[in-house]
Amino acid sequence: MASFPLAVKMVMIDLDGTMIDTVPDLAAAANRMLADLGRPAWGIEHYRAWIGNGVPRFVKRALTGEMQAEPDPELFEQALGPFRRHYGEAVSNLSRPYPGVVEALEQLTDQGYSLACITNKAEAFTLPLLKNLELHKYFKLVLSGDSLPKQKPDPLPLQHACRHFGIDTAHGVLVGDSSNDVHAARAAGMPVICVTYGYNHGHDIRQSLPDAVVDSLMEVPQYLKLYV
C-alpha cells in the first residue's frame, strides 16, 4: 500500500460512478431499447450493477439479465444501434455530478494538479456529457473507452496519460469506483483511491484493496501533495 500524502503531478478520474451518477439516463435508454424490441424493462438497481465494462457489455446485460452471458448475435445487433441512439439523444437529461465533485475539481485545479478523465465510456457519449454538465473545462486530457486500442482494466490508458504529461507512473494517481480501476492502476504501477459509492457490480470496493477509500471526492486532496 502507498504511503500518504502521495507525491503526484496528475490526477486521473473515472467518470461513471465516480464523478457523475449516469445510471438514470443509461437505464432510460436501455429500457427504451428493450421496448423497441418488445422486451420488458428492468428496474434501475439492475442497471447500477451492470455498468462498468463499456456499452456493448452493458447492452448484453440488459438483454440477458446476466453479467457475462452472450445474447443471440442477431438480437444484439438489433439492440446496439437503438441503444446508442436513445442514449446519445439524452446523455445528460437526468445524470448529475455527485455532491462535492465540482468543489473537488476546483480545489485540485487550484492546487496545481493536472487533471485527466479516463473512462470506458465511448467518446460519443463522454464528451457531450462532460460539456453539458460543465465539467470538461477542468480536464487537460480526456481518454474514452474507444480512444485507444485497450481500456481499463488494461493499464494502457493510464500509461498513455502519463506519457502525455511527461511523468512517471508513480507520480500519477487514479481515482475511481470499481475493481477495474484498481486493476488498471496496479498494472500501471500507480496508486489508486476509490469512492465508496458508484458502480462496482454490487461489491464493496474495499475488497479490491485500493490504497485509500473516500466517501466524497472532496476528501481526495488531503491524500495528495504536489510533486515538483
Side-chain angles (χ1 to χ4, degrees):
M1 301 291 282
S3 57
F4 298 103
L6 302 168
V8 301
K9 295 185 72 171
M10 175 184 60
V11 181
M12 292 167 280
I13 310 176
D14 175 58
L15 183 59
D16 297 68
T18 302
M19 284 193 288
I20 302 173
D21 183 9
T22 52
V23 166
D25 286 315
L26 285 162
N31 281 337
R32 284 195 287 270
M33 173 267 290
L34 291 171
D36 292 343
L37 298 171
R39 300 170 75 91
W42 293 102
I44 196 167
E45 289 309 313
H46 286 92
Y47 291 114
R48 286 193 183 279
W50 291 342
I51 290 177
N53 303 100
V55 164
R57 178 51 60 188
F58 182 74
V59 170
K60 289 178 180 181
R61 288 167 179 164
L63 292 173
T64 65
E66 298 180 28
M67 292 297 290
Q68 300 299 332
E70 291 293 326
D72 177 79
E74 185 175 337
L75 176 64
F76 174 66
E77 289 304 318
Q78 291 175 340
L80 188 58
F83 173 80
R84 292 183 185 276
R85 184 179 72 255
H86 289 311
Y87 188 49
E89 291 170 351
V91 71
S92 60
N93 280 13
L94 304 171
S95 299
R96 295 292 180 268
Y98 289 101
V101 167
V102 173
E103 294 86 347
L105 295 177
E106 291 274 6
Q107 185 174 344
L108 290 167
T109 300
D110 290 345
Q111 291 175 348
Y113 298 100
S114 296
L115 302 186
C117 175
I118 300 187
T119 175
N120 285 354
K121 197 181 204 73
E123 185 178 275
F125 308 130
T126 298
L127 297 183
L129 181 60
L130 288 172
K131 290 174 181 175
N132 292 351
L133 298 182
E134 299 184 353
L135 299 180
H136 191 268
K137 61 186 177 183
Y138 296 107
F139 296 99
K140 296 181 178 180
L141 176 68
V142 176
L143 293 178
S144 303
D146 48 0
S147 298
L148 299 169
K150 296 180 180 179
Q151 58 181 217
K152 298 178 296 183
D154 193 275
L156 179 62
L158 283 62
Q159 295 164 338
H160 179 93
C162 290
R163 287 194 295 269
H164 176 85
F165 288 104
I167 66 168
D168 184 88
T169 54
H171 296 140
V173 60
L174 178 63
V175 181
D177 69 322
S178 74
S179 59
N180 268 351
D181 297 306
V182 177
H183 294 324
R186 294 288 177 247
M190 68 171 53
V192 56
I193 298 171
C194 287
V195 298
T196 52
Y197 55 87
Y199 318 136
N200 189 39
H201 311 310
H203 302 296
D204 187 337
I205 191 60
R206 294 174 182 85
Q207 296 173 353
S208 296
L209 302 178
D211 294 292
V213 176
V214 296
D215 293 321
S216 166
L217 245 59
M218 280 292 291
E219 298 175 42
V220 169
Q222 72 190 46
Y223 289 92
L224 310 179
K225 64 179 180 181
L226 189 64
Y227 176 81
V228 293

